Amino acid sequence: MHASPRYRPSAAILELGEGSYDPVAPARFPAAILRFRNDLAAARIGLDDLDDAAWIDHFARFAPLPGGLARPLALRYHGHQFGTYNPALGDGRGFLFGQVIDPDDGRLLDLGTKGSGTTPYSRGGDGRLTLKGGVRELLASEMLAAQGVPTCATFSLVETGERLHRGDEPSPTRSSVLVRLSHSHVRFGTFQRLAYHRDREGLARLVDYCARHLLPECARPEIGASAAALVEAATARTAALCGRWMVAGFVHGVLNSDNLSVTGESFDYGPYRWTPRHDLGFVAAYFDHTGLYAYGRQPQACLQNLVRLATALAGLAAPAELERALSGFAAAHDEAIRRAFCRRLGVASRGAAADDGLVDAAYAFLGQQRVGLDRFFFDWYGGATRRMQALAGPAAAAYDGALFDEFADALADAAPIDGARLDHAYFQGEGPCSLLIDEIEAIWAAIDERDEWSPVQAKVAAIRAAGEAWRTDGA
């Protein structure tokens, strides 16, 4: 492999010691058909010069990257799953394959897998990922990135030629192996496991690792202060992440403590959905019968998991400091809602009070009317400057009544955000770029029934084009 100046390998995870991971061997697949390579992400870390054969060698057969980890490592963690503590977790169908230094900010980046074979934590599973699951994760990560929501990037997706049997998909179904790029695979449950085993030294090493490689703002002379600062940083990042999910209309589906990372990035997508309308009771996971992780309960779930993180660190940090660190959640979440809402609506902030009034008026209207969230933000992007277009569009009949008038009044003097590209071709089109369940199923059906990949390729291109329109200098 030709060494790019941007490629800076690392093996920092080894600092945590052998009790934090298990060396594993990747599965040997009967086929390796490259279905997606993220050249934008590859260029970021200096791996864009790989030809397809070398790409498959590294990201389907898992030949080690030069200068990096010699063997894949299945990471150990525990977690609360639907409120019940589970000490039998860990990477069950994935592993940490490589680490690199982000050339843009010097922080650590992980290359982690999904569907790469069995590990000591597979719990009787086959360690594989369905191709449909891989396609769904690709679409989710692309859409969230376009919407300005912190997320892992789907780095690679390779079809692997096996036939899998699953209880929640028509079977047999096709198989894949996915690689994601993110700033961390350190989960809240990683800390919980060490606390469960009363491993104070391990907790101290993990806090130090995070402060040096992931969250440099947490570094303090004393480990207890660093632990409290880590909880404070994780609280701010998780609150901001959740606020952005809410404005995007994204429902993660399984907000267990092992599915949240200390760096505040979306990852480990399972039965996610985007809610079609502003419906706080909307549930993504078919097995979430009580609505524990419904759209409107996501802030509560995130805060509860932050409490579990703080509890795991109670042996290192003073309780008062941990309580103070957690206390910032509500304010950070509210600020994230305001910023994300103004960004998605394409209007400049007018201060917290005015922004809150706009958000409240919009959601009161959206809670009464059945207009789609994506359509609403498309129609009113840039503020009242697009009023005539919105009132002539497909949702015009919904834009009426007392609650709409209150929203329109709150929007009336909002200026377009700096850099708003109202003349972008996206906003001259007929409708918004969405990722609702029916479209995901249609994209998968084309692959499943005809091996037709053009719909998913077109969708990724459309999402990225929409992201160019949505991004502004004032975001």
Side-chain angles (χ1 to χ4, degrees):
M1 185 183 96
H2 175 70
S4 163
R6 294 184 68 82
Y7 175 65
R8 298 169 57 194
S10 175
I13 192 69
L14 300 179
E15 297 170 9
L16 295 179
E18 295 181 358
S20 296
Y21 48 73
D22 294 85
V24 293
R28 297 303 177 198
F29 300 113
I33 307 167
L34 182 57
R35 295 303 190 183
F36 175 78
R37 56 177 285 169
N38 192 331
D39 287 320
L40 294 176
R44 174 183 175 186
I45 60 174
L47 291 177
D48 51 320
D49 60 343
L50 296 175
D51 61 24
D52 285 353
W55 186 280
I56 287 173
D57 194 38
H58 288 302
F59 302 119
R61 301 189 181 98
F62 299 104
L65 290 167
L69 293 173
R71 296 184 65 185
L73 303 176
L75 303 181
R76 300 178 181 180
Y77 53 85
H78 291 179
H80 277 84
Q81 298 190 312
F82 285 85
T84 301
Y85 191 76
N86 188 347
L89 299 178
D91 283 337
R93 56 172 174 168
F95 47 63
L96 182 64
F97 168 62
Q99 294 184 297
V100 296
I101 304 299
D102 189 335
D104 296 328
D105 64 13
R107 295 166 64 208
L108 194 63
L109 284 164
D110 286 352
L111 288 160
T113 69
K114 192 171 184 178
S116 48
T118 57
T119 77
Y121 311 103
S122 296
R123 295 184 290 167
D126 59 16
R128 268 52 172 184
L129 173 67
T130 66
L131 183 60
K132 183 179 184 180
V135 169
R136 281 176 51 84
E137 182 147 339
L138 164 61
L139 293 172
S141 60
E142 289 285 332
M143 189 64 165
L144 285 174
Q147 291 181 314
V149 181
T151 179
C152 66
T154 297
F155 194 81
S156 173
L157 181 64
V158 173
E159 187 170 359
T160 54
E162 295 179 317
R163 306 295 284 174
L164 305 179
H165 290 268
R166 294 290 186 268
D168 56 354
E169 288 186 37
S171 296
T173 189
R174 294 154 72 174
S175 60
S176 69
V177 64
L178 178 142
V179 178
R180 67 166 70 97
L181 181 71
S182 64
H183 273 114
S184 173
H185 283 78
V186 176
R187 308 160 188 256
F188 293 3
T190 311
F191 294 87
Q192 289 182 281
R193 174 186 165 273
L194 294 168
Y196 178 88
H197 290 294
R198 296 180 172 83
D199 186 353
R200 190 180 188 280
E201 291 183 3
L203 279 169
R205 281 196 302 272
L206 184 57
V207 169
D208 181 66
Y209 172 89
C210 292
R212 286 188 296 109
H213 298 298
L214 305 175
L215 303 167
E217 68 269 29
C218 298
R220 301 288 190 277
E222 300 294 333
I223 195 65
S226 292
L230 185 148
V231 173
E232 183 175 15
T235 297
R237 289 169 177 265
T238 304
L241 173 66
C242 186
R244 292 175 182 176
W245 282 345
M246 297 301 290
V247 174
F250 177 75
V251 189
H252 184 283
V254 186
L255 281 178
N256 297 326
S257 63
D258 56 301
N259 286 338
L260 289 170
S261 76
V262 292
T263 51
E265 295 166 302
S266 312
F267 82 117
D268 236 4
Y269 303 108
Y272 73 84
R273 289 195 187 187
W274 267 261
T275 179
R277 294 175 293 277
H278 182 61
D279 176 4
L280 295 177
F282 183 83
V283 174
Y286 67 90
F287 47 81
D288 186 2
H289 302 298
T290 66
L292 180 64
Y293 297 142
Y295 172 52
R297 289 186 174 181
Q298 292 186 125
Q300 177 184 347
C302 288
L303 179 56
Q304 180 62 60
N305 284 320
L306 285 162
V307 170
R308 289 163 176 154
L309 171 64
T311 301
L313 287 167
L316 295 181
E321 288 300 303
L322 293 172
E323 289 180 15
R324 183 194 59 78
L326 291 169
S327 69
F329 182 89
H333 184 263
D334 290 348
E335 174 63 16
I337 292 282
R338 288 191 291 268
R339 289 176 60 87
F341 194 93
C342 288
R343 179 189 191 275
R344 193 173 185 196
L345 202 56
V347 298
S349 171
R350 292 168 290 166
D355 293 348
D356 279 340
L358 176 61
V359 171
D360 291 345
Y363 281 134
F365 164 69
L366 288 166
Q368 180 194 64
Q369 291 286 1
R370 296 181 64 81
V371 61
L373 275 180
D374 297 323
R375 166 57 65 178
F376 171 81
F377 283 108
F378 178 86
D379 284 351
W380 297 99
Y381 186 88
T385 56
R386 286 167 54 85
R387 182 182 180 93
M388 296 306 296
Q389 183 173 334
L391 295 180
Y399 299 136
D400 194 12
L403 290 178
F404 171 73
D405 291 341
E406 291 179 17
F407 162 70
D409 288 344
L411 187 67
D413 61 348
I417 197 168
D418 287 345
R421 302 172 64 183
L422 298 176
D423 59 346
H424 193 282
Y426 173 77
F427 294 113
Q428 309 311 310
E430 295 182 357
C433 180
S434 300
L435 193 62
L436 301 181
I437 187 64
D438 288 347
E439 184 171 9
I440 295 173
E441 291 296 326
I443 289 170
W444 169 246
I447 295 169
D448 185 41
E449 297 168 7
R450 305 185 300 279
D451 203 31
E452 176 57 66
W453 285 82
S454 59
V456 72
Q457 294 162 354
K459 189 62 184 180
V460 169
I463 289 171
R464 291 182 174 183
E468 293 177 0
W470 292 331
R471 291 193 185 97
T472 69
D473 294 338

